[in-house]
Amino acid sequence: MKYLSLHWLMSMVLLLLLHTATSMVMLPNSTGWQEILDKYLDEDGGWWEAKQRGKRAITDSDAQLILDLHNKLRGQVYPPASNMEYMVWDTELERTAEEWAETCLWEHGPSGLLPQIGQNLGAHWGRYRPPTFHVQAWYNEVKDFSYPYPQECDPYCPFRCSGPVCTHYTQLVWATSSRIGCAVNMCYDMNVWGQIWAKAVYLVCNYSPKGNWWGYSPYKHGTPCSACPPSYGGGCRDNLCYKDDSSYPLQEETEENNFIEQEAPLSPQKPWSRASRPEAPSLPAPAPTQPPTENLQKNDVVNTQQMSQLVTCDTKLRDQCKGTPCNRYECPAGCLDAIGKVVGTVYYEMQSSVCRAGLHAGVIDNDGGWMDVTRQGRKDYFIKSHKNGVQSLGKYQSANSFTVSRVTVKAITCDTTAAQLCPFQKPAKHCPRLYCPRNCLEENSHTSRVIGTRIFSDRSSICLAAVHTGVIRNDAGGYIDVMPVDKRRYYIASYQNGISSESLQNPPGGKAFRVFAVI
């Protein structure tokens, strides 16, 4: 048996958790497997025919079990939460989860919806396991989580590409994520990280409002229900902020929302029933809202996320990146004395030491420094040589390769945009390290726009976006890194560090970018 748990934070971005265990694989006609088939296939054994006749993507009983387990686990977090909201089922989130589950793609999506929802994924094959099995597995990541900051166990490239994962847990217990909708699909010949699973059971759970915001804790620590949003009217059930529809009218939430985004929470109701529920609310509209700033008076934001990865002298590219698009590294001093092997010349085999390959190529010296890596696909052979004090090995066998290059630096003006300087391309190209002048806020040029939050339209001023994000200060300027990304369907406005960014929906053409600190 194998099972997988998977969760993604914005366009950013999100992560995959793989856990494997060995046991006897049940045959497709086994009793356990038949339990799944009985619930999700029709009497003729046809999954797609059943779907076309309007069969639910998840049974009422499974939906109730998933919802109940979420609320149980949310109510027992430690340290205890003072603002943990009772979670309710949302049929619109269920619908979007169903649409994604039917793609049978082992990745987060769809990309246009991810900025507005949180998402956890799970898949398994073999003997029968209820959907709650994956929910419990997500929660069990708590062992790797140290309250309050989830980024400590969020190995998301290009910041940190290895280590324990806990972002499924933090989404599950994100205090303000008060709505959930899930779907189950039977996927035939599903590709899971290169392995083909003949019959995979695929679980997709969507959450709203989304969680896993960088730099924020999943909930506030304190006496249960002591910091509930006012709209709950003081109600509390099983350590969760709870409101009975019959007692409290809906009110728009304007603060105390974990400092993330304004949202009108759905009133919880129990006992829960699909048939008896009123019409479910729709997903949050993409129109931007200004985030509350209880901890961020004056909307001051400081962001120290780096695009370049800190590695050791012996770190292999294969160990560090695992195929993700991270490409800028900071190497320590003294790598000439390290033992990491280097295979190849100019083109290096993927199991080579990243930093020692940089030494061999003359991109860095023994004092260390930054360098860029470009994946070059498979090469038939690799040539040995002795360069710059490093002896590389030869290999006459086809393998994936990479090249290294110096990180170029370029000074730009306050008006320079990503579209002008570093357009998005496939395959990805390296953007130079940039130096922004100080006092860009005083620039009054009509071209100095900022469109988006955290992810910006490439029509935005790079330097003003960097100030808005908090990677540099307006009065100081400084170095930044830029990562071009594919365009977004919409960009969210916000006010940070004295800059009001714009919103933009369905932009024609154009791409997007992110900015990172250089420390």
Side-chain angles (χ1 to χ4, degrees), residues 332-348:
C335 288
L336 275 177
D337 300 322
I339 60 174
K341 70 177 181 180
V342 177
V343 179
T345 300
V346 181
Y347 293 96
Y348 298 97

Side-chain angles (χ1 to χ4, degrees), residues 414 440-441 448-450 461-469 474 499:
C414 297
C440 281
L441 272 175
S448 297
R449 304 171 64 191
V450 179
S461 159
I462 296 173
C463 293
L464 286 177
V467 174
H468 182 274
T469 303
N474 177 61
I499 297 177

